[in-house]
Amino acid sequence: MPRVPWVTAPSLQARGSPMATGRAPQAAAGPVLRRADDTGGDGEGLGEGAVGLAPPTPPPGISPSRARLTVAVLCYINLLNYMDRFTVAGVLPDIEAFFSIGDSSSGLLQTVFISSYMVLAPVFGYLGDRHSRKRLLCLGIALWSAVTLASSFVPRERFWALLVARALVGVGEASYSTVAPTLIADLFAGADRSRMLGCFYLAVPLGSGLGYIAGAKVKEAAADWHWALRVTPGLGVVAVVLLFVVVKEPPRGAVERPLDAPLHYTSWATDLRALATNRSFVLSTLGFTAVAFVTGALALWAPAFLYRSRLASGAREPCAEPRGCHADESLIFGALTCVTGVLGVGAGVELSRRLRPVTPRADPLLCAAGLLGSAPFLFLAVVCARATVLLTYIFIFVGETLLSLNWAIVADILLYVVVPTRRSTAEALQIVVSHLLGDAGSPYLIGVISDRLRRGAPDSFLAAARSLEHALLLCAFAGALGGGFFLATALFLEGDRRRAQLDAQRMLPAEDGDDGEIVVPQRGRPTKVPVSSVLI
């Protein structure tokens, strides 16, 4: 294809709704013009033949300091989100003893939460693309905080009520996870966006680790695991107040389109068809599904597995009181999760920034390297657990660091291969797929496999450790499979990113008879040609 040096969008009368633009429609001030290979200095140039957007401008009415403060609030809420999610894992042995349940029922606690979370995500994705995102965030945080507090009062004969409560917590968190990244995308562009997403996704491992630590320490201080579930609701009230006071919602696509150009919405069915044919989005979502599978299984079962392995090897004496048995393993694994998450997410963002000028496929290749590299270390961590505890923790440290490389990168891939009016929907679909095939089932699946392998074996510490060990080996194979999906993503990334940029330019509504056409120079004169002729 010949290089297209300039792309011009004609000046048109804006016809978007006030709801979409946040102000009355205006006429576009002039043509949108940018060199095709202009990277804007952000390290995200697409190379030869790329068609770019107009240079990013700050969102109207939002200062740089307010934008960064908004990201800080969103990071705090994301930290709270994952603390709430993994506090249950930190006190899981105590919950098992209190309700007299086995591994399969314990796995259901995470499964019902993730199931409701992923089922409601498309609903909030649709609403997040069309209604006030700030109000959706406040509603979701208030709901999950109230239900988490209520779940701490469930009596021992009502385990089903705890399952219902965890399902309702998933409803609240679905509203947050689908919307928050799109706010960051509308506040920053290019390398700044990557850095802010890196900060946002640092909260995933930090919050997960703090959930383990807070659960174990609060339970120890109060001598009652119920109090561990009463920490995050109070912090949730603070989060709602911060949202009202600090966060100012930016217009959608504010940094990627002319300020007076209205957003061009399509039907939800059209959005779904477009996302289904976006190969980079589909393949990176499948790769991230493998990440969710591994992290979900490890989050719930790693402390219990480490405890059983130490019992089987004789490195630890059995507890006389089961409710206080696993605190050390939860604390150590929580601390490892925090440290490896900070190192992995930070390294992923920095490597992505440095390697993008070298190759436009740097992001999926980094994700693939992280998953493929983590698989053997996770395998070794599982098989060596009964032989040497020190090596096990070292292998977990390296494996989780490599696994954490992709958190911010995957989010960035989604945001630059999907146009602004479909991003909440895309986030929702990624949540549905990654959780449906990933951590919605992996904790329960690991528990079922462990119970089946243990069936008929003598009731011993060794049998309990071996059954969970063999079940957890599935995580290493899932990681390797996810690496393959990211390698496939690298094959299609450049083309899909160009298409997203062209679609963003076409957020300027076409005049009658001009649908699907752009203006390019031919023989020294501007000429309208179909978009498809540029993409071929």
Side-chain angles (χ1 to χ4, degrees):
M1 182 194 82
R3 181 176 180 179
V4 182
W6 300 92
V7 174
T8 309
S11 176
L12 300 173
Q13 181 68 29
R15 298 195 294 267
S17 68
M19 180 276 292
T21 62
R23 50 199 161 86
Q26 303 173 8
V32 181
L33 191 63
R34 182 176 178 181
R35 284 196 65 86
D37 56 355
D38 181 12
T39 66
D42 59 10
E44 291 194 353
L46 295 178
E48 190 75 16
V51 179
L53 295 175
T57 56
I62 300 178
S63 66
S65 59
R66 172 64 69 91
R68 284 172 171 75
L69 195 57
T70 295
V71 173
V73 172
L74 295 177
C75 289
Y76 166 72
I77 300 172
N78 207 30
L79 186 79
L80 193 61
N81 180 358
Y82 280 87
M83 274 188 66
D84 177 87
R85 189 179 301 187
F86 289 103
T87 298
V88 170
V91 295
L92 183 61
D94 303 274
I95 293 175
E96 287 182 334
F98 183 80
F99 289 102
S100 300
I101 56 176
D103 288 350
S104 299
S105 297
S106 299
L108 275 177
L109 285 171
Q110 189 77 343
T111 297
V112 297
F113 163 76
I114 295 297
S115 297
S116 65
Y117 175 49
M118 68 180 184
V119 168
L120 270 294
V123 176
F124 287 107
Y126 177 86
L127 296 174
D129 278 333
R130 292 160 175 83
H131 298 283
S132 171
R133 292 172 286 184
K134 182 175 175 178
R135 291 178 184 174
L136 287 174
L137 291 179
C138 292
L139 175 64
I141 296 166
L143 176 62
W144 103 50
S145 299
V147 174
T148 298
L149 180 62
S151 69
S152 69
F153 297 99
V154 174
R156 67 175 67 242
E157 65 275 9
R158 298 284 189 271
F159 177 68
W160 61 267
L162 183 62
L163 291 176
V164 172
R166 295 308 295 171
L168 291 175
V169 170
V171 175
E173 291 196 17
S175 67
Y176 176 78
S177 299
T178 56
V179 168
T182 68
L183 286 173
I184 297 176
D186 290 336
L187 290 169
F188 299 94
D192 286 338
R193 177 190 289 173
S194 299
R195 293 188 188 99
M196 294 303 158
L197 286 172
C199 294
F200 180 77
Y201 284 101
L202 274 177
V204 174
L206 280 175
S208 303
L210 288 174
Y212 288 113
I213 295 170
K217 284 299 185 182
V218 171
K219 178 205 72 174
E220 181 181 336
D224 185 356
W225 67 268
H226 293 87
W227 283 96
L229 301 182
R230 297 166 188 168
V231 175
T232 54
L235 298 175
V237 175
V238 177
V240 174
V241 173
L242 288 174
L243 274 172
F244 271 114
V245 174
V246 174
V247 175
K248 183 176 181 181
E249 184 170 352
R252 291 172 178 84
V255 296
E256 296 166 294
R257 61 187 176 91
L259 297 182
D260 50 5
L263 291 170
H264 180 56
Y265 282 90
T266 53
S267 68
W268 196 53
T270 301
D271 292 347
L272 293 180
R273 285 195 297 269
L275 292 171
T277 58
N278 188 324
R279 291 170 292 186
S280 294
F281 169 73
V282 171
L283 290 168
S284 63
T285 296
L286 292 175
F288 189 66
T289 299
V291 178
F293 184 97
V294 175
T295 55
L298 292 179
L300 192 69
W301 290 115
F305 170 66
L306 293 170
Y307 172 71
R308 293 184 188 182
S309 297
R310 293 180 70 186
L311 286 178
S313 65
R316 179 168 181 169
E317 293 296 324
C319 295
E321 172 54 54
R323 292 181 55 174
C325 287
H326 302 72
D328 290 346
E329 285 75 18
S330 292
L331 284 173
I332 294 172
F333 186 74
L336 281 175
T337 300
C338 287
V339 175
T340 57
V342 171
L343 291 176
V345 174
V349 171
E350 184 62 21
L351 287 171
S352 172
R353 186 184 70 82
R354 292 178 179 272
L355 293 177
R356 279 177 183 174
V358 178
T359 170
R361 300 175 179 178
D363 287 349
L365 292 177
L366 277 172
C367 292
L371 273 172
L372 293 173
S374 69
F377 286 101
L378 294 177
F379 180 87
L380 290 172
V382 171
V383 299
C384 294
R386 284 183 286 116
T388 166
V389 174
L390 178 61
L391 272 180
T392 297
Y393 282 127
I394 292 174
F395 290 142
I396 290 175
F397 180 88
V398 178
E400 285 204 317
T401 300
L402 292 171
L403 198 65
S404 298
L405 284 177
N406 63 74
W407 279 100
I409 299 176
V410 171
D412 212 2
I413 290 174
L414 182 150
L415 293 172
Y416 63 63
V417 300
V418 176
V419 294
T421 54
R422 294 173 183 153
R423 283 175 180 163
S424 289
T425 298
E427 291 281 355
L429 287 179
Q430 190 167 86
I431 286 172
V432 169
V433 175
S434 62
H435 291 309
L436 178 65
L437 303 178
D439 55 355
S442 64
Y444 180 64
L445 179 62
I446 296 298
V448 168
I449 293 174
S450 176
D451 280 348
R452 292 289 177 86
L453 293 174
R454 197 172 173 182
R455 186 177 300 170
D459 188 11
S460 66
F461 296 138
L462 182 60
R466 277 182 172 174
S467 63
L468 196 50
E469 172 187 322
H470 294 156
L472 285 171
L473 288 176
L474 189 60
C475 294
F477 295 101
L481 180 63
F485 282 121
F486 279 119
L487 289 176
T489 303
L491 299 176
F492 305 106
L493 185 73
E494 293 177 88
D496 289 334
R497 187 169 177 179
R498 286 194 198 98
R499 288 177 177 86
Q501 287 188 313
L502 285 170
D503 283 346
Q505 286 282 23
R506 291 182 64 210
M507 285 191 296
L508 289 170
E511 293 188 3
D512 294 341
D514 286 343
D515 187 34
E517 295 184 332
I518 58 175
V519 178
V520 299
Q522 287 187 2
R523 298 180 182 178
R525 292 183 297 180
T527 306
K528 292 180 181 178
V529 297
V531 171
S532 58
S533 68
V534 179
L535 296 176
I536 295 174

